[in-house]
Amino acid sequence: EGLGVKIQYKTDIKEKFFAENKFDRIIIATGAKPVKLLAKGADMPHVVTAPDVLEGLVNVGGNVVVIGGGQVGAETANHLAVHLKNVTLVEMLPEIAPDEPLAPRWHLLRSLDNRKVRMMTNTSVTEIKEKSVILKKGIDVFEIPADTVVVAAGSKPDNTLAGKLAKKGHNVSVIGDAKETGLVLDATSQAFNTVIDF
């Protein structure tokens, strides 16, 4: 408010909005969309995304399987365990949260261990059922109970609008996850560097 920034809520931003309003420059910071899980049963109603869980948009059952053991998946598993859910964290790679900075990762892994989160690495999902998930590790196949399945299998930039506006001749800059998925520091640095050139 002090800088005279106009904040416009409840506005569905589409190409028409930019045709009706004149802007010298448009900065797209529309973030990223979760990558869809390509497994049988992934379209069932009890399969949700990590962002939806963290934003409190879904009701989570007592037994939870989190698919994807990167930073987002591990943090989500820890969040659910704090709220007394029985959590299994599944990761295809050999390590949990390798993209987390060193010191926070150490505390996160310790917290997951203390909260009895079952961490399964080198493990893939073969099928999601109504009350369970079928997992495969090597030649072994497991079926574990799951009231809720949380997908944290990565994200991809949501920058469709940027491309459409650029084609119409608008001066467009893309920052943050809309440009390339990364950490908060990446996004704020890009934002600073973008506006410092004005």
Side-chain angles (χ1 to χ4, degrees):
E1 290 180 0
L3 294 172
V5 176
K6 180 183 178 182
I7 302 174
Q8 195 163 323
Y9 296 103
K10 297 182 180 178
T11 303
D12 187 12
I13 300 295
K14 294 182 179 177
E15 291 175 78
K16 184 181 176 184
F17 175 85
F18 297 98
E20 295 172 348
N21 298 274
K22 299 295 181 183
F23 299 101
D24 297 319
R25 192 160 181 184
I26 301 166
I27 300 174
I28 301 292
T30 43
K33 291 182 177 178
V35 172
K36 291 184 178 180
L37 184 68
L38 300 176
K40 185 178 179 182
D43 57 347
M44 297 179 78
H46 67 294
V47 180
V48 300
T49 66
D52 284 348
V53 170
L54 296 173
E55 291 174 31
L57 300 178
V58 293
N59 292 320
V60 179
N63 290 314
V64 185
V65 173
V66 177
I67 301 171
Q71 183 179 22
V72 173
E75 295 280 5
T76 303
N78 191 58
H79 168 77
L80 290 167
V82 167
H83 289 85
L84 306 179
K85 305 297 182 181
N86 178 33
V87 184
T88 299
L89 180 59
V90 179
E91 171 56 45
M92 290 178 67
L93 298 176
E95 292 184 292
I96 297 295
D99 50 341
E100 183 97 30
L102 186 62
R105 180 176 185 260
W106 184 84
H107 287 288
L108 175 60
L109 292 176
R110 186 176 180 185
S111 180
L112 290 167
D113 189 54
N114 288 341
R115 291 187 165 86
K116 304 292 188 285
V117 172
R118 183 182 182 188
M119 292 176 272
M120 300 182 69
T121 56
N122 297 310
T123 304
S124 59
V125 178
T126 60
E127 184 180 352
I128 299 171
K129 296 185 174 183
E130 192 172 337
K131 287 291 181 181
S132 65
V133 175
I134 308 296
L135 304 172
K136 185 176 181 182
K137 182 171 184 174
I139 61 171
D140 297 322
V141 176
F142 307 85
E143 183 169 7
I144 59 174
D147 302 312
T148 305
V149 177
V150 181
V151 179
S155 56
K156 59 182 179 180
D158 181 11
N159 53 23
T160 306
L161 180 61
K164 291 179 179 178
L165 294 176
K167 285 181 181 178
K168 295 274 176 104
H170 293 281
N171 185 2
V172 179
S173 297
V174 183
I175 64 172
D177 279 0
K179 181 178 183 180
E180 183 180 5
T181 55
L183 304 177
V184 172
L185 283 176
D186 300 324
T188 53
S189 296
Q190 289 171 22
F192 178 83
N193 292 329
T194 298
V195 299
I196 204 74
D197 291 335
F198 278 17

